[in-house]
Amino acid sequence: MANFKTLDDVELSGKRVLVRVDLNVPMKDGEVTDTTRIDRVVPTLSEISEKGGKVIILAHFGRPKGEKVPEMSLKQVVPALSKALKMPVGFAEDCIGDVAKAAIDNMANGDVLVLENTRYYKGEEKNDPEFAAQLGANGDLLVADAFSVSHRAHVSTEGLCHHMPAVAGRTMQQELEALDSALGTPNRPVLAVVGGAKVSTKIDLLENLVTRVDGLVIGGGMANTFLAAQGKDVGKSLCEHDLAETAKRILVAADKAGCEIVLPVDALVAKEFAANAPHEVLDVDSIPADGMMLDVGPKSVEAVVAWIKKANTVVWNGPLGAFEIEPFDTATVAAAKAAAEETKAGRLTSVAGGGDTVSALNHAGVYDDFSYISTAGGAFLEWMEGKALPGVEVLKA
């Protein structure tokens, strides 16, 4: 990964600092129900404020699609942000024009102001140069601190960078450094753990990973498609039979690249998808016609844990089984705890991301024990697929 500029490379005092953050947080009855995204940007916002910059926040909320939808106003997020920052936070009813200018002109050095939802304007998502000029009139430099939207070429993530200097905020910096340590310049051997329901959603990911990692664990419903491609009968298990040739192609590419594919050799098999459904452990060669593989079995877990213990880097996306229901969370929890233990002992760099992954690691009680967990869904996946992210490319020095 090329070097990128950070807050260390710019003078902040007295500057109007536009800070693109992700405040698209879950809410219920006017209250923020999960402050994770807010908490993560506090270090960046506090540092700019303490160094005398005027902190002018750009963000989106929901998908208003260019319309001014009252229930998607960022005003409702301001109280939670103020509480997290332990200081007053102002709000401007617009993100461009006279309203935004007047609010910014009234700011003292160190003040924090949230501008209204950038997606209230169609020009935001179209990366319209005219909207970029209007938004850019509000600031002297841009601090990008929303990796989760960096895969979108929008005005606030990419277009503004052509109007002013742009640097990475501390959250973006931390994310980029973690990702670089996982796949950019990793400490080998590198193991990727990829699970989830469907191969179809992760073809690009698997094709990229087999050329970059030393071992690849495939779990979840995805594994069934690979097993079926090898001629095994997977019964009623979730399986994309039409992707057999794709699975075979990935297996051949892995072999050519010297990447060891780790597929289940046994599974927890039940006849219905339900919590505590009657189940048995069977080898993958012995799945009955009416059976469903809902988790990988103990021999398979042993192989995954052995790989984790010999790896120096693990990058993880997706659960190994139907972790939402017991006892089909067993493999995911066991593997996650093994990775957490190796990380805590200083023997492993562990980086994970993706919605289901975050939930699974929380469920396993190891969220705080991984080296880094990305809360960016689509951006994390596109980065793992080896794609260039517009909001990252513009930060390169």
Side-chain angles (χ1 to χ4, degrees), residues 30 33 36 38 49 51 70 111 118 133 158 220 243 276 317 344 355 397:
T33 55
T36 303
I38 291 174
S49 174
K51 289 182 175 176
D111 282 356
T118 56
E158 198 274 343
L243 287 179
N276 299 307
N317 176 256
K344 283 195 290 184

Side-chain angles (χ1 to χ4, degrees), residues 38-81:
I38 291 174
D39 297 336
R40 285 207 170 185
V41 296
V42 165
T44 296
L45 302 179
S46 296
E47 181 176 345
I48 297 167
S49 174
E50 286 162 12
K51 289 182 175 176
K54 295 175 180 178
V55 185
I56 305 160
I57 293 172
L58 303 176
H60 74 279
F61 190 89
R63 295 182 176 178
K65 298 184 177 177
E67 303 293 332
K68 296 188 177 180
V69 184
E71 55 267 31
M72 294 184 192
S73 172
L74 278 169
K75 191 171 188 175
Q76 60 194 323
V77 181
V78 170
L81 181 61

Side-chain angles (χ1 to χ4, degrees), residues 120-184:
Y120 274 6
Y121 290 91
K122 285 186 168 66
E124 160 72 334
E125 294 184 77
K126 290 180 179 176
N127 205 4
D128 176 51
E130 190 178 328
F131 182 63
Q134 289 176 296
L135 205 56
N138 295 327
D140 302 309
L141 70 135
L142 175 71
V143 173
D145 214 29
F147 178 79
S148 56
V149 289
S150 63
H151 58 314
R152 307 289 186 210
H154 293 172
V155 165
S156 63
T157 59
E158 198 274 343
L160 273 178
C161 302
H162 303 292
H163 289 262
M164 61 185 65
V167 302
R170 297 306 183 197
T171 308
M172 176 76 86
Q173 179 183 350
Q174 187 183 16
E175 186 106 28
L176 296 179
E177 288 171 350
L179 299 187
D180 190 51
S181 72
L183 281 185

Side-chain angles (χ1 to χ4, degrees), residues 4-279:
F4 49 90
K5 292 183 178 178
T6 71
L7 289 175
D8 298 323
D9 300 307
V10 286
E11 175 60 46
L12 297 167
S13 181
K15 296 290 176 65
R16 298 173 303 160
V17 186
L18 296 175
V19 193
R20 179 48 160 113
V21 298
D22 187 351
L23 297 181
N24 196 27
V25 292
M27 299 197 71
K28 187 177 181 183
D29 301 325
E31 298 286 328
V32 176
T33 55
D34 183 347
T35 62
T36 303
R37 285 178 168 169
I38 291 174
D39 297 336
R40 285 207 170 185
V41 296
V42 165
T44 296
L45 302 179
S46 296
E47 181 176 345
I48 297 167
S49 174
E50 286 162 12
K51 289 182 175 176
K54 295 175 180 178
V55 185
I56 305 160
I57 293 172
L58 303 176
H60 74 279
F61 190 89
R63 295 182 176 178
K65 298 184 177 177
E67 303 293 332
K68 296 188 177 180
V69 184
E71 55 267 31
M72 294 184 192
S73 172
L74 278 169
K75 191 171 188 175
Q76 60 194 323
V77 181
V78 170
L81 181 61
S82 178
K83 184 178 179 183
L85 284 169
K86 299 185 175 69
M87 64 184 293
V89 172
F91 179 73
E93 303 279 349
D94 205 341
C95 61
I96 58 173
D98 293 341
V99 171
K101 183 180 184 302
I104 292 166
D105 286 347
N106 282 329
M107 294 176 75
N109 292 349
D111 282 356
V112 180
L113 174 73
V114 175
L115 299 186
E116 185 56 283
N117 197 336
T118 56
R119 290 189 185 175
Y120 274 6
Y121 290 91
K122 285 186 168 66
E124 160 72 334
E125 294 184 77
K126 290 180 179 176
N127 205 4
D128 176 51
E130 190 178 328
F131 182 63
Q134 289 176 296
L135 205 56
N138 295 327
D140 302 309
L141 70 135
L142 175 71
V143 173
D145 214 29
F147 178 79
S148 56
V149 289
S150 63
H151 58 314
R152 307 289 186 210
H154 293 172
V155 165
S156 63
T157 59
E158 198 274 343
L160 273 178
C161 302
H162 303 292
H163 289 262
M164 61 185 65
V167 302
R170 297 306 183 197
T171 308
M172 176 76 86
Q173 179 183 350
Q174 187 183 16
E175 186 106 28
L176 296 179
E177 288 171 350
L179 299 187
D180 190 51
S181 72
L183 281 185
T185 52
N187 187 7
R188 293 188 177 275
V190 182
L191 174 69
V193 178
V194 180
K198 296 182 176 182
V199 172
S200 54
T201 60
K202 296 188 179 181
I203 294 171
D204 290 349
L205 171 63
L206 296 171
E207 289 183 331
N208 181 49
L209 286 177
V210 294
T211 65
R212 299 180 70 177
V213 302
D214 304 293
L216 173 59
V217 172
I218 300 177
M222 295 172 60
N224 306 336
T225 301
F226 279 84
L227 293 171
Q230 292 178 330
K232 300 186 191 302
D233 187 345
V234 297
K236 289 199 306 178
S237 305
L238 179 64
C239 179
E240 293 173 291
H241 292 281
D242 58 323
L243 287 179
E245 291 307 312
T246 301
K248 288 176 186 175
R249 187 178 76 233
I250 291 167
L251 291 170
V252 169
D255 187 55
K256 188 176 175 183
C259 169
E260 182 187 332
I261 299 281
V262 182
L263 286 167
V265 293
D266 60 348
L268 268 64
V269 181
K271 293 185 178 178
E272 61 173 333
F273 182 77
N276 299 307
H279 61 279

